[in-house]
């Protein structure tokens, strides 16, 4: 892991971008009291380092009345690194899965899904979990009301400097090869 030092200007820039990434570089430079070329360089560096991973517009399916969310806790029969990695790779290809976390506690994974309706959720369970042959147990929960949603990380702009650890960039692959998630050899499993 590389150590990256974020100064006050970097952190304020990250906070501003998370509030509205449609601001012009001129407007951002004025808000940060830096020149526009300095701002462009800082923003480029944050993107290259992976701190800013994407510039996207978030569509809220709930406000549109489209579909439903489901929260899914999953426990695997075989909890070896290879089996867990295989599950993680399988989940990557499923468009209904918005987020997947390897977690502590009684379950191995926590998933957040968006599906069109309960029938689509049932089909997901049959196609992905039942067909895997390695799901020991799962529990579903459905939100009745969303009281808060944000994807912002609040950066303290008062501290002089903040050190963060960022992963080393992956080695370049020869043309034609695709990246596959490596097994997590440091993974620890709790005894149940």
């Amino acid at each position: 892991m590389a150590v990256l030092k974020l100064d006050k200007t970097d952190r304020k820039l990250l906070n501003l971008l998370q509030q509205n990434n449609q601001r012009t570089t001129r407007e951002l430079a004025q808000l940060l009291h830096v020149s526009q070329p300095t701002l462009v360089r800082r923003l480029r560096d944050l993107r290259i380092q992976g701190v800013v991973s994407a510039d996207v517009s978030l569509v809220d399916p709930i406000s549109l009345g489209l579909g439903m969310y489901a929260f899914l806790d999953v426990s695997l029969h075989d909890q070896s690194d290879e089996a867990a990695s295989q599950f993680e790779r399988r989940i990557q290809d499923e468009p209904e899965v918005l987020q997947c976390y390897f977690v502590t506690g009684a379950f191995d994974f926590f998933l957040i899904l968006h599906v069109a309706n309960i029938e689509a959720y049932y089909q997901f369970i049959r196609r992905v979990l039942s067909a895997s042959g390695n799901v020991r147990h799962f529990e579903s929960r459905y939100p009745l009301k969303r009281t808060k949603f944000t994807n912002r990380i609040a950066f303290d702009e008062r501290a002089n400097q903040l050190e963060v650890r960022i992963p080393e960039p992956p080695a370049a692959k020869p043309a034609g090869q695709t990246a596959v998630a490596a097994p997590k050899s440091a993974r620890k499993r709790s005894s149940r």
Side-chain angles (χ1 to χ4, degrees):
M1 291 254 182
V3 174
L4 176 65
K5 296 180 181 184
L6 299 175
D7 65 15
K8 289 180 182 183
T9 304
D10 289 327
R11 294 192 310 274
K12 187 168 185 175
L13 173 58
L14 291 169
N15 284 335
L16 289 169
L17 288 172
Q18 290 180 98
Q19 292 168 6
N20 178 3
N21 75 342
Q22 296 297 305
R23 288 185 172 117
T24 65
T25 55
R26 181 178 179 180
E27 182 182 356
L28 288 168
Q30 288 173 345
L31 290 168
L32 294 171
H33 307 290
V34 298
S35 70
Q36 195 170 355
T38 297
L39 176 101
V40 169
R41 178 187 51 78
R42 283 176 179 266
L43 188 52
R44 182 199 65 221
D45 291 348
L46 290 169
R47 286 184 172 128
I48 289 170
Q49 295 159 337
V51 175
V52 175
S53 61
D55 293 303
V56 299
S57 295
L58 301 176
V59 176
D60 182 5
I62 291 178
S63 69
L64 297 172
L66 296 175
M68 59 181 260
Y69 285 101
F71 304 142
L72 186 58
D73 294 302
V74 178
S75 181
L76 303 179
H77 282 294
D78 180 356
Q79 298 177 349
S80 68
D81 286 344
E82 180 54 39
S85 293
Q86 182 179 7
F87 179 81
E88 291 169 352
R89 286 190 300 271
R90 172 79 187 265
I91 291 302
Q92 292 295 322
D93 295 331
E94 300 302 330
E96 298 91 343
V97 179
L98 302 178
Q99 298 176 45
C100 176
Y101 299 93
F102 176 67
V103 295
T104 61
F107 291 92
D108 299 311
F109 291 93
F110 172 70
L111 286 70
I112 299 174
L113 290 83
H114 179 265
V115 292
N117 51 41
I118 197 70
E119 175 63 23
Y121 180 70
Y122 171 73
Q123 293 302 325
F124 172 86
I125 295 299
R126 303 253 322 166
R127 185 182 79 250
V128 177
L129 299 187
S130 298
S132 82
N134 190 30
V135 173
R136 177 172 52 106
H137 179 71
F138 69 90
E139 288 184 14
S140 305
R141 291 173 284 143
Y142 310 98
L144 301 175
K145 176 183 173 184
R146 181 168 70 186
T147 58
K148 180 178 180 178
F149 172 81
T150 186
N151 62 345
R152 290 185 223 158
I153 305 297
F155 289 95
D156 180 3
E157 297 172 15
R158 295 172 299 196
N160 286 332
Q161 197 167 346
L162 172 68
E163 288 189 6
V164 295
R165 300 195 188 295
I166 58 173
E168 297 291 337
K173 298 276 180 203
Q177 286 189 349
T178 58
V180 176
K184 296 182 178 176
S185 58
R187 185 177 282 167
K188 292 184 181 177
R189 297 284 181 184
S190 61
S191 59
R192 297 189 183 135

